[in-house]
Amino acid sequence: MNGPNQESVELFLQEASENLQYLREYSGMLQEPQTKPEDLEKLYIAAHTLAGTSASYGFPQFSEVAAKMAHIFHYAMNATLTADMHGPLTEFISDAISVLEFDLLQISSSGTETEGDILAFKQRYSFAFPAPPASRAAREAAEEVAAEEPVADAPPAYSYVDHLPQDSDVPAEVLEFFVPEAEEHLQAVTECLLALEANPNAEDINRLFRSMHTVKGSAAQVGLHRLSAVAHRVEDLIGRLRDGVLKPSANIVDICLESVDVLKKFLHRQWSSDEEMRAAVDPLLAQIAELAPEEYEETAPAQPATANGADASTAETGIAPLEKRRVAPEALPQAKSVRISLERLDRMMNAVGELVINRTRMVGRLAELAKLVEVLNFSKSRLSGKVSEFQEKHEFSKIQPLLVPGSQAPQMDTFRGNFPGMPSVTTNDLLEFSELEMDRYDDVNILSRSLTEISADVNVVLTQLEGFMGRVDSDIDEFTKLAHHLQDEITAARMVPIGNLYTRLSRTVRDAANATGKLVDLSLEGADTELDNNIIQHVSDPLIHLVRNAVAHGVEDRRTRQRSGKSEKGLVSVRAYHRGNHIFIEVEDDGRGIDYDGARRRVVEMGAMSSVAAAELTERELREFLFRPGFTTASAMTELAGRGVGLDVVRANVHALNGEIEVRSEPGHGATFTVKVPLTLIISQALFVRCGTSVFALPLAVVEEIRRLKPGEIEDVGGKLLTRVRDVVTEVVRLDVQLALPPLEPLNGYFHMVIVKVAGKQVGVVVEEVLGKDEIVIKNLGDYLRGVKLFPGTTIAPDGSLILLIDLNRLASADTAERNALPASSPAARVFAPGAEAVAAGSIPAGAVDSIENDRVVVVADDSISVRKFVGRMLEKAGYRVKLASDGLEASELVAQIGCHLVVTDLEMPRMNGYELMAHLRQNPVTRKIPVLVVTSRAGAKHRDRAIKEGAAAFLTKPVQEDQLVATVDELIGAEKPDKRRTVDVPVRQDSND
């Protein structure tokens, strides 16, 4: 290897491997909605380090790919990634890491890079790798043309950006208050611009001018001078509108909207480079200069300048005190409001959540106390009964035999102590009284009276305890009311009208209509409907995509609408309304509706199913395909449609909010998408169910009813459990089967079934017992369990245990999702291959169809993902079907589930190493005869001898060569006859070492 010595290269390989492993484990944070900037910075540092060190060691292709990843993380640190960017970028990063891992292995073994793989990767993601030769040639040609053209014809070299002032150092605490204020004013500017285009009026122009003037002045005050300068030029343009020099037009509105975008980038510092900023700002200021020349700048802002000067002179000379007195009362109401960050509101809401949890815990403790009181009451009743019975029997018993002289010695009073001053009473002294004249008591009589007194005391304590429980119950009720009131107040503080989002929707419809050349009106209803600001932030991207889809897919062009007897202008309606604890948002268009025939054709083109099966799909099933990743009905790819990334992301974002999305469509009359989201995400209502010893929580919002179900009413149809609920076919999901819990047994001949409505269909969830409903505070499962998508969160039970919240959308679609995720084997692929329909129809004789040999399955176990994929790719190229395992335990589970013909394993792995894996396989008679190939970096005789002793059929050392590996595998299992192998069961091949 040329360049650095081998020791240095080994250090590079080790460092690069660690950085790649870090990127693979944590790069998924890129698509998390609340990723911290410092986490993105760590990812950027790891990728940037890879790019720099690989370049210094002479691996330019490795460096180029790593630099692209670093660019993505750097971009994400300074700009917001939209929902439709997450999918392609995450796929790019994942594939880039895999390519670099293979490249690193190649460098380790031969000192050269995998040029073929990297070239294929660059071709696949050509958008990230512009062709250098073409760009260089273009630059050279441009330089030649520029050199040949006369100087007089060349564009002026004047740059507006060069004349912009530099920003000052603005403290973060100042930006924390300035940015929200500026965003409000820029939103007001956008609203006024959109209103001007539809209905120009002086009021909107004045409001527009005031908002832009405020942005200019505030930005200059805090030190954002560039933003202030650009806003000043936009203010000049709006001033000409206000003075009547210019009239509102689509061109001016476009320029002003573009200015808003530029100002937002200055505000959030989203320019990735100085070149990008110049490319956007210079043309914008040039257009403004054409409409509002520089000389106008001296006169238009004269009034604000004069006003400012007047204020200054007033401060010095004391002139116009009456004006100051008039202005002061108007400023007073502003002092009564204060800005609070969303983070602080979140902490306050979390504190309210803890109050709800403690209230639930107190209610649980009170319920336990009530049970104890009930038991004590029962014991008291038994005691009272026994005391009464004992008292009736012994308290008034006759004692004449005891009074006969000499018949029995006097008994000692067991219940009365010996008092020296008390005189003794003998039997003879009592004989002078008859039984009616004086009561006589023995020990039994005294015991009876004592028990009666104890029973009375217990009764008094119980009465007091019940009164105390009643008072505690009342206190808890008051506490609950206060907690709910506090929750409502903080929730109201977080609530914002959805009309704030309507401005963005209006802009989206306008831009999409201009891009497609369609005439579209937008109807907005329910702008005053309020919901949590956090939910608005998360639901904005899905709604923008739905509105854009309505224009691109739904509304037809003018000619088509005229032929259909519709008006030239299409109509997109957005309605928001409140119902219960949820907000419903409908996006409706009056276009062509969903093209079900086109959707069927697309299903077949994607290879999802045959044309025969696609023809049997119902309209509801076809609508479900719209939410599949990569599915699109667009005939061509444009900026607005045809990319296959959209509705799947929309549904994922809505489900992440514990919401739902439904579709209704009537061909020729349009489509309606209904998004249902909760008012808040912190506290919600849940239904508690029990399955075995485990308790789970179901979102109460989607629960329709609870009913009993006989086992005989459940039918297995094509692998799906179905039943009828009031003549409606309902899919049944057994919670014990889905979660691998102990099987449920019917109670008194019935199951309990919770009917829920998810993904537009009715589903019955079979549980063992329904415990009741209550408010819950949803807690995050944490970073380590964020991959467990079935459980979006957890709540705390009164006894302190955790109760998992089930995502019913994922539960209902678990079977389908798992089947779609499984790779199709070669026999299964033949069923859907070209010509399969003719075979199924009997047009081709069975004898003319080639028999399909079973695949040879190899399980590769290695804790290094790079080695697993590298070895797996070698074996797949040789015609083997490969299953990958990250350690010996996972490999043993794979062998037990699907069987295999060969196990390729490393020696050093977590949980179960290679030696333990071989010992485990040898202990089982079924897996004893599976040959094991050891591929390890431990080349010593000690490790080799131990492996052979444990039953290894062959032993190779890393880095393994492809021809050597394939030859060894062929030698072990390649010579077997197909009819002697089994792909599902474990093969019966005899090991040479046994």
Side-chain angles (χ1 to χ4, degrees):
M1 181 181 294
N2 298 328
N5 57 40
Q6 186 63 27
E7 183 178 357
S8 300
V9 173
E10 290 295 331
L11 291 175
F12 159 71
L13 293 175
Q14 181 178 357
E15 181 186 14
S17 178
E18 293 173 354
N19 282 324
L20 284 174
Q21 184 67 22
Y22 177 80
L23 289 173
R24 179 169 289 281
E25 290 178 0
Y26 297 102
S27 61
M29 288 190 296
L30 187 67
Q31 56 183 345
E32 295 292 335
Q34 298 177 348
T35 304
K36 298 179 180 178
E38 51 267 27
D39 293 333
L40 290 175
E41 185 177 4
K42 292 178 182 178
L43 293 170
Y44 167 73
I45 291 173
H48 186 70
T49 303
L50 281 175
T53 54
S54 58
S56 63
Y57 279 92
F59 305 113
Q61 298 186 32
F62 189 107
S63 176
E64 185 180 11
V65 176
K68 295 297 181 182
M69 285 197 298
H71 170 73
I72 292 175
F73 295 125
H74 192 246
Y75 182 90
M77 289 167 55
N78 300 288
T80 302
L81 298 180
T82 58
D84 55 354
M85 295 168 65
H86 286 159
L89 291 182
T90 304
E91 183 180 0
F92 176 90
I93 292 172
S94 178
D95 289 353
I97 293 172
S98 299
V99 166
L100 293 184
E101 286 172 340
F102 293 131
D103 194 41
L104 202 64
L105 286 174
Q106 185 71 13
I107 293 172
S108 174
S109 60
S110 63
T112 59
E113 296 192 73
T114 55
E115 297 182 359
D117 289 345
I118 293 181
L119 180 60
F121 172 79
K122 293 167 68 174
Q123 290 175 349
R124 180 181 181 188
Y125 299 100
S126 57
F127 64 89
F129 299 92
S135 59
R136 189 181 302 116
R139 287 197 302 270
E140 292 174 358
E143 292 173 0
E144 292 176 2
V145 172
E148 294 174 359
E149 289 181 351
V151 178
D153 296 336
Y158 182 81
S159 173
Y160 292 91
V161 175
D162 293 337
H163 294 77
L164 293 179
Q166 295 297 321
D167 289 339
S168 304
D169 292 333
V170 185
E173 56 270 19
V174 174
L175 287 177
E176 183 178 352
F177 294 99
F178 171 71
V179 170
E181 179 188 5
E183 285 181 339
E184 289 180 5
H185 289 298
L186 290 177
Q187 182 176 347
V189 168
T190 305
E191 292 175 357
C192 292
L193 289 171
L194 295 173
L196 277 179
E197 191 174 32
N199 183 24
N201 59 83
E203 182 180 351
D204 286 334
I205 294 178
N206 289 329
R207 182 186 171 202
L208 180 63
F209 185 87
R210 288 194 302 269
S211 297
M212 188 58 67
H213 180 75
T214 304
V215 171
K216 179 200 72 173
S218 302
Q221 183 70 35
V222 301
L224 296 177
H225 301 298
R226 288 195 162 189
L227 190 154
S228 176
V230 175
H232 193 172
R233 293 297 294 129
V234 181
E235 181 191 15
D236 293 342
L237 177 60
I238 300 172
R240 292 203 125 195
L241 288 175
R242 184 187 61 176
D243 297 340
V245 179
L246 296 175
K247 293 185 178 180
S249 65
N251 182 38
I252 293 179
V253 172
D254 286 337
I255 293 174
C256 292
L257 288 175
E258 185 180 350
S259 303
V260 171
D261 295 337
V262 168
L263 292 175
K264 284 183 178 179
K265 286 200 170 186
F266 275 117
L267 178 65
H268 298 287
R269 301 179 179 181
Q270 293 177 335
W271 302 112
S272 59
S273 64
D274 187 65
E275 289 75 13
E276 181 189 358
M277 187 262 291
R278 289 177 178 272
V281 176
D282 274 335
L284 173 65
L285 294 180
Q287 293 182 71
I288 294 177
E290 292 179 2
L291 297 170
E294 294 290 339
E295 60 269 19
Y296 188 82
E297 183 180 356
E298 298 175 359
T299 60
Q303 293 178 356
T306 303
N308 293 337
D311 291 343
S313 63
T314 300
E316 294 176 1
T317 63
I319 300 176
L322 295 177
E323 291 186 5
K324 288 190 174 182
R325 293 192 190 101
R326 285 197 300 268
V327 174
E330 295 179 1
L332 284 176
Q334 296 181 2
K336 295 181 180 180
S337 63
V338 61
R339 290 184 182 273
I340 301 178
S341 64
L342 280 177
E343 290 77 8
R344 177 169 293 184
L345 282 177
D346 286 338
R347 291 195 296 270
M348 294 171 65
M349 183 61 82
N350 286 332
V352 173
E354 296 298 329
L355 283 178
V356 174
I357 290 175
N358 287 329
R359 190 267 305 174
T360 305
R361 186 178 290 115
M362 286 191 295
V363 171
R365 297 287 183 266
L366 188 62
E368 294 176 5
L369 186 60
K371 290 181 180 179
L372 293 176
V373 170
E374 185 179 349
V375 172
L376 191 57
N377 263 319
F378 179 72
S379 300
K380 186 263 296 183
S381 301
R382 291 182 57 196
L383 176 63
S384 299
K386 292 298 181 181
V387 167
S388 299
E389 182 181 346
F390 188 86
Q391 189 176 8
E392 292 174 359
K393 185 175 182 180
H394 297 287
E395 185 175 7
F396 300 105
S397 59
K398 294 181 178 181
I399 56 174
Q400 290 92 339
L402 301 177
L403 299 178
V404 178
S407 61
Q408 188 174 353
Q411 295 181 358
M412 181 183 294
D413 191 349
T414 309
F415 302 98
R416 186 181 296 118
N418 293 325
F419 297 98
M422 187 176 69
S424 59
V425 180
T426 62
T427 305
N428 293 330
D429 296 331
L430 298 175
L431 289 177
E432 60 184 287
F433 296 103
S434 66
E435 295 178 12
L436 298 177
E437 292 176 325
M438 181 174 227
D439 294 334
R440 297 173 178 83
Y441 302 98
D442 57 5
D443 289 349
V444 176
N445 300 123
I446 295 173
L447 174 61
S448 174
R449 286 184 173 272
S450 299
L451 291 177
T452 302
E453 293 174 1
I454 292 173
S455 176
D457 292 341
V458 170
N459 199 15
V460 171
V461 171
L462 269 176
T463 303
Q464 294 176 351
L465 185 59
E466 289 174 348
F468 170 75
M469 284 183 57
R471 292 191 295 273
V472 171
D473 195 17
S474 300
D475 293 342
I476 291 179
D477 288 341
E478 289 298 321
F479 178 80
T480 302
K481 292 178 183 178
L482 289 175
H484 285 171
H485 179 68
L486 184 58
Q487 172 192 341
D488 293 340
E489 290 295 326
I490 297 180
T491 301
R494 293 173 55 93
M495 292 292 186
V496 293
I498 198 172
N500 295 345
L501 176 60
Y502 279 0
T503 304
R504 293 181 62 189
L505 298 182
S506 302
R507 176 79 181 273
T508 301
V509 170
R510 180 183 184 277
D511 294 343
N514 291 338
T516 56
K518 301 176 181 179
L519 297 177
V520 181
D521 282 338
L522 177 64
S523 171
L524 300 173
E525 301 176 17
D528 296 334
T529 304
E530 293 186 339
L531 69 163
D532 195 316
N533 182 71
N534 191 28
I535 294 181
I536 280 191
Q537 292 178 359
H538 285 81
V539 83
S540 60
D541 287 338
L543 288 180
I544 287 173
H545 188 91
L546 292 176
V547 168
R548 188 184 294 118
N549 263 12
V551 177
H553 290 284
V555 176
E556 312 97 322
D557 56 54
R558 304 181 193 178
R559 294 181 179 178
T560 305
R561 292 183 66 87
Q562 287 177 348
R563 288 196 300 267
S564 303
K566 301 179 180 179
S567 64
E568 288 187 355
K569 281 190 175 183
L571 177 63
V572 175
S573 303
V574 180
R575 291 182 291 273
Y577 53 92
H578 178 275
R579 183 178 296 171
N581 291 324
H582 286 78
I583 295 293
F584 291 79
I585 307 171
E586 295 181 353
V587 178
E588 182 181 3
D589 65 79
D590 65 345
R592 62 174 61 90
I594 296 176
D595 182 7
Y596 291 111
D597 293 334
R600 284 191 178 88
R601 289 193 297 271
R602 181 59 182 160
V603 169
V604 177
E605 291 171 2
M606 290 176 59
M609 58 181 58
S610 66
S611 58
V612 176
E616 298 177 355
L617 291 175
T618 64
E619 291 184 355
R620 186 183 67 80
E621 292 170 335
L622 285 172
R623 288 196 295 268
E624 284 299 310
F625 268 97
L626 297 178
F627 297 97
R628 293 281 186 91
F631 188 89
T632 179
T633 56
S635 57
M637 183 182 298
T638 65
E639 217 178 288
L640 298 177
R643 294 168 296 167
V645 179
L647 288 180
D648 59 320
V649 179
V650 170
R651 171 176 274 186
N653 288 350
V654 172
H655 284 178
L657 297 173
N658 294 328
E660 296 180 38
I661 180 170
E662 295 182 358
V663 189
R664 302 190 309 274
S665 178
E666 185 178 351
H669 293 82
T672 303
F673 288 79
T674 304
V675 176
K676 174 186 174 185
V677 292
L679 284 174
T680 180
L681 295 176
I682 304 296
I683 301 175
S684 62
Q685 295 279 338
L687 180 72
F688 295 102
V689 298
R690 184 175 61 83
C691 194
T693 59
S694 304
V695 178
F696 301 97
L698 309 179
L700 189 63
V702 298
V703 175
E704 298 282 329
E705 63 174 304
I706 303 168
R707 59 185 296 134
R708 296 194 305 170
L709 181 71
K710 292 182 179 180
E713 296 176 355
I714 303 176
E715 300 180 9
D716 190 339
V717 180
K720 281 189 176 183
L721 299 180
L722 302 175
T723 188
R724 284 188 174 272
V725 178
R726 287 188 292 276
D727 294 330
V728 176
V729 177
T730 303
E731 184 177 347
V732 177
V733 176
R734 290 194 52 157
L735 198 59
D736 55 337
V737 175
Q738 293 294 329
L739 302 183
L741 299 174
L744 297 180
E745 295 295 335
L747 182 63
N748 297 327
Y750 287 93
F751 286 125
H752 286 89
M753 184 170 67
V754 180
I755 307 296
V756 298
K757 189 173 184 181
V758 292
K761 60 182 180 180
Q762 187 170 279
V763 178
V765 181
V766 174
V767 299
E768 185 169 350
E769 183 182 3
V770 178
L771 302 177
K773 67 174 184 176
D774 200 354
E775 279 188 340
I776 64 170
V777 178
I778 303 173
K779 298 288 186 179
N780 200 317
L781 289 176
D783 291 338
Y784 291 106
L785 296 176
R786 64 182 177 186
V788 185
K789 302 297 185 182
L790 183 60
F791 304 111
T794 183
T795 187
I796 302 175
D799 60 357
S801 61
L802 296 181
I803 299 177
L804 291 172
L805 178 68
I806 296 179
D807 186 342
L808 292 174
N809 289 286
R810 292 186 180 274
L811 181 70
S813 59
D815 293 337
T816 306
E818 290 172 5
R819 282 199 291 268
N820 291 337
L822 291 176
S825 62
S826 56
R830 283 285 294 269
V831 177
F832 302 100
E837 295 182 23
V839 176
S843 303
I844 301 178
V849 181
D850 296 335
S851 60
I852 303 174
E853 296 183 356
N854 290 330
D855 291 337
R856 292 167 294 175
V857 181
V858 179
V859 173
V860 178
D862 199 299
D863 58 333
S864 169
I865 186 173
S866 303
V867 175
R868 288 201 305 272
K869 290 194 173 183
F870 193 66
V871 173
R873 176 177 291 187
M874 292 179 181
L875 295 175
E876 286 176 345
K877 287 169 61 178
Y880 296 98
R881 187 152 62 97
V882 180
K883 296 291 183 180
L884 302 180
S886 59
D887 53 35
L889 183 59
E890 187 176 348
S892 65
E893 293 173 351
L894 279 174
V895 172
Q897 292 172 3
I898 65 173
C900 68
H901 298 83
L902 174 69
V903 175
V904 179
T905 180
D906 189 14
L907 290 181
E908 297 171 301
M909 295 180 293
R911 297 202 297 178
M912 180 185 288
N913 60 38
Y915 296 128
E916 295 170 339
L917 173 60
M918 288 185 283
H920 176 76
L921 295 176
R922 296 296 170 260
Q923 291 174 0
N924 191 341
V926 182
T927 61
R928 180 179 300 164
K929 302 184 183 303
I930 300 177
V932 178
L933 169 61
V934 174
V935 179
T936 178
S937 57
R938 300 292 184 178
K942 182 177 180 181
H943 293 88
R944 180 186 297 269
D945 294 342
R946 171 73 185 278
I948 299 299
K949 181 180 177 181
E950 293 291 346
F955 190 97
L956 298 177
T957 56
K958 299 178 184 176
V960 63
Q961 301 299 320
E962 183 173 357
D963 53 354
Q964 183 187 16
L965 174 68
V966 174
T968 305
V969 173
D970 286 341
E971 182 181 351
L972 292 174
I973 64 173
E976 296 180 359
K977 299 295 183 183
D979 56 351
K980 292 185 179 180
R981 296 195 308 272
R982 293 177 293 172
T983 56
V984 178
D985 298 327
V986 177
V988 295
R989 181 185 182 278
Q990 185 72 24
D991 194 306
S992 58
N993 294 320
D994 291 342

